[in-house]
Amino acid sequence: MTTGSRTVRDATLEMLRGLDLTTIFANPGSTEVGFLTDLPEDLDFVLALHEGSVVGMATGWAIARRRPALVQLHTTAGLGNAVGALATARVNRAPLVVLVGQQDRRHLAQEPFLAGRLEGLAGDYPVWVKQPERAQDVPAAIARAHHEASTHGGPALVIVPMDDWHQPAGDPAVHAAPRRVLRPAPAPAALDPALEEVAALVDGARSPALVAGAANDDEEGWAALVALAERLGCPVWQESFGARAGFPQDHALFAGHLPADRPRLRALLAPHDVVVAVGAPVFRQYQYHPGPLVEPATRTVVVSADAGEIGHSPADVAVHTPVAPFVAALAERVRRRPGSDEPRREVARPLPPEPGRPLAPGHVFAALAERAAADTIFVEETPSSRPEMHALLPARRPLGFLSAAMGGLGFALPAATGARMADPRRPVVAVVGDGSAMYQVQALWSAARYGAGVLFVVLSNGRYAIMDRLAEGQGGKPPWPAFDEVSVAEVARGLGCPARRITSYDDLITVLDEVVPTLTERTEPLVLDVEVTVGTTFAP
């Protein structure tokens, strides 16, 4: 193709191939048709039926592949619908390159129909936003977005007016952008001053402790933190509301999840005079309670590659650095201590219910724990039973647990779909409340359409149980009704996704014995709509 006939779309497609952005997650509109029509066969188009599902699937994909995913959204309506999911992607550190369609550049000044004021619509959640000054700058802007998304761990937006795609590409020598960006780790010597200070603080501690965060969730991070914990012989907690596991939760030194309120957090950490948070802020909370995070005698250290995370952590010492290399070096530098003599507390699995008695969430978790492979990715969105799931289904491999860091609902169904599509070698099980499932139930269509063999376990109690509990905690009655008449199984089947309704323990065991062994090879998703009680079998 000559330079004269080469379009911005042609140049962009070449750029996307070079960046390995060849799977497009989208719910298209008219401003994207010029780019998507006659898409080359080496690019895969993945349709979702709502923009929250689009971004949720791409988030799961990006996390599972550990590199950016490509998203396309439709001007104001599409970007607006996706903002909540983009916020989740940002807090989950999921690198996304997001193309947002815009009206024709030639009459934007008149604010025509479908023109959007897009640059600030998603607020501060994108790590970078750009509408190129010229059509010819679109490919370079996409390369820059890839760099920003990779560097900062979040969505980077490029706004593209619809007529840009068919404009001449211009001189590729002038308008090219780097195809690859290398990010070497800092030289060990650069870490020495910080390393010495933190090592001295830990060595001087009477009783150190560690906190693992979502940013430590990879093979290198787990290995480094295990080495440090075993050298110190100290307990390791997972950050509260952590979206991913930063430490093997079946390890003898794993102590559980930090509470998300200040009184219990202070009491739990009071025996420790130095607490080092690795890839987690100091310390994530939920409902506000007065008082400090820790007792005055407890000193805190945060180690993070996220400048923003460091900025809102009231720690005594902060180290802004790639986490795993620093922790590995710290493990070699600190003195070895005798291991704890206290045995790891085992959580008792609930006994099967008596014949005719209803299922509780714990029965489902225990049955899954007995059958699921160690490398299963569990995607969680069941707020009322999350503590019980943590206790009975510990993460045993990196990416063994995945949840929405932002807390908004509508994450699990699309994220599990995207994760399975990204890494079909690993089994994926989504555990979702029926209320949560309805926020992005459209993702089940995409799972079925694209052969994402996820097992979706929906815990159906016909209500927003977590909201009921919060209302009870306020001493009042909630005004919202139950929704017992909603059948997730019927909705799923209506979207083309196979589903079964489970009402007894025997039914549950029969289906899990049939399905769980197939999860590695499975290409057909399945929804298990499991009727459960509102209560719990869990005693912390």
Side-chain angles (χ1 to χ4, degrees):
M1 179 178 292
T2 64
T3 300
S5 62
R6 186 169 174 269
T7 65
V8 167
R9 181 178 185 265
D10 296 327
T12 298
L13 292 174
E14 293 172 13
M15 178 66 67
L16 295 177
R17 293 181 181 108
L19 295 171
D20 193 25
L21 293 173
T22 56
T23 298
I24 305 170
F25 295 90
N27 181 273
S30 57
T31 53
E32 295 73 58
V33 169
F35 175 74
L36 293 173
T37 301
D38 293 330
L39 199 66
E41 291 185 359
D42 64 326
L43 270 69
D44 295 321
F45 181 88
V46 178
L47 175 66
L49 304 185
H50 185 277
E51 288 82 2
S53 293
V54 169
V55 175
M57 289 170 67
T59 297
W61 169 281
I63 290 172
R65 294 188 89 209
R66 304 189 187 281
R67 56 179 180 263
L70 179 62
V71 172
Q72 190 160 53
L73 300 174
H74 174 52
T75 191
T76 309
L79 180 57
N81 283 346
V83 168
L86 290 171
T88 293
R90 173 67 181 270
V91 184
N92 272 82
R93 301 182 178 88
L96 305 180
V97 175
V98 184
L99 307 183
V100 183
Q102 175 62 293
Q103 247 283 9
D104 193 301
R105 191 186 287 269
R106 292 169 293 186
H107 66 161
L108 273 177
Q110 285 79 51
E111 297 193 10
F113 181 69
L114 286 181
R117 300 176 185 177
L118 303 174
E119 293 197 34
L121 185 57
D124 293 334
Y125 291 115
V127 298
W128 187 76
V129 180
K130 179 70 172 179
Q131 178 170 317
E133 286 75 14
R134 306 177 308 153
Q136 289 75 21
D137 297 329
V138 167
I142 293 171
R144 172 71 182 275
H146 184 274
H147 166 77
E148 297 292 341
S150 302
T151 300
H152 300 293
L157 274 58
V158 180
I159 301 165
V160 186
M162 59 193 297
D163 60 314
D164 281 8
W165 299 117
H166 302 303
Q167 300 302 311
D171 187 344
V174 175
H175 302 298
R179 297 283 182 171
R180 295 174 63 236
V181 178
L182 302 179
R183 299 177 180 86
L191 297 176
D192 284 349
L195 182 65
E196 290 300 318
E197 181 174 343
V198 175
L201 188 62
V202 172
D203 278 343
R206 168 184 46 79
S207 176
L210 302 171
V211 174
N216 199 55
D217 185 27
D218 57 32
E219 296 284 355
E220 184 184 8
W222 278 36
L225 196 54
V226 166
L228 178 60
E230 291 179 350
R231 191 165 181 88
L232 297 175
C234 72
V236 182
W237 279 279
Q238 176 70 35
E239 64 171 325
S240 63
F241 289 101
R244 292 161 68 178
F247 188 82
Q249 295 175 355
D250 56 349
H251 192 282
L253 292 173
F254 182 66
H257 291 71
L258 287 183
D261 64 84
R262 297 186 183 201
R264 289 190 299 152
L265 181 68
R266 283 196 300 271
L268 185 69
L269 297 181
H272 304 284
D273 50 347
V274 172
V275 179
V276 181
V278 175
V282 173
F283 290 105
R284 204 165 192 208
Q285 299 283 285
Y286 180 29
Q287 292 178 299
Y288 175 75
H289 293 273
L293 290 168
V294 296
E295 296 291 350
T298 301
R299 300 192 66 186
T300 54
V301 179
V302 58
V303 181
S304 177
D306 187 332
E309 188 166 77
I310 283 177
H312 63 73
S313 291
D316 294 294
V317 178
V319 184
H320 185 200
T321 185
V323 173
F326 184 87
V327 174
L330 185 63
E332 295 181 357
R333 170 64 180 76
V334 296
R335 64 182 174 86
R336 183 176 295 278
R337 297 173 183 241
S340 171
D341 294 329
E342 184 177 342
R344 182 175 183 272
R345 183 174 68 93
E346 295 294 332
V347 177
R349 293 180 179 176
L351 296 174
E354 296 178 3
R357 300 293 297 171
L359 284 165
H363 297 128
V364 180
F365 300 145
L368 284 169
E370 291 174 359
R371 291 161 177 80
D375 64 341
T376 300
I377 300 172
F378 282 98
V379 186
E380 176 272 336
E381 196 165 48
T382 174
S384 61
S385 50
R386 182 173 181 171
E388 193 168 13
M389 181 175 172
H390 279 321
L392 296 171
L393 283 171
R396 294 176 283 171
R397 298 287 188 276
L399 197 57
F401 176 82
L402 177 60
S403 186
M406 194 66 185
L409 300 180
F411 174 79
L413 299 188
T417 302
R420 176 67 178 176
M421 293 173 68
D423 189 357
R425 300 166 300 175
R426 292 187 67 173
V428 179
V429 178
V431 182
V432 192
D434 53 348
S436 302
M438 298 310 296
Y439 279 77
Q440 284 301 331
V441 73
Q442 303 95 333
L444 296 176
W445 179 90
S446 298
R449 174 64 178 77
Y450 297 104
V454 178
L455 177 61
F456 298 99
V457 179
V458 180
L459 305 178
S460 293
N461 54 35
R463 65 201 68 235
Y464 293 124
I466 188 66
M467 294 301 299
D468 292 346
R469 287 182 192 172
L470 291 173
E472 291 168 5
Q474 295 290 321
K477 286 182 61 177
W480 50 84
F483 44 88
D484 306 83
E485 66 275 19
V486 173
S487 170
V488 176
E490 290 185 19
V491 174
R493 285 191 285 265
L495 290 166
C497 182
R500 303 187 197 180
R501 178 73 172 176
I502 305 296
T503 59
S504 72
Y505 185 76
D506 288 343
D507 288 347
L508 175 69
I509 297 306
T510 298
V511 173
L512 292 183
D513 283 341
E514 171 193 339
V515 174
V516 171
T518 73
L519 289 180
T520 301
E521 298 82 20
R522 192 177 183 90
T523 58
E524 182 181 68
L526 177 64
V527 171
L528 299 186
D529 185 5
V530 185
E531 184 179 314
V532 297
T533 62
V534 178
T536 177
T537 62
F538 180 57

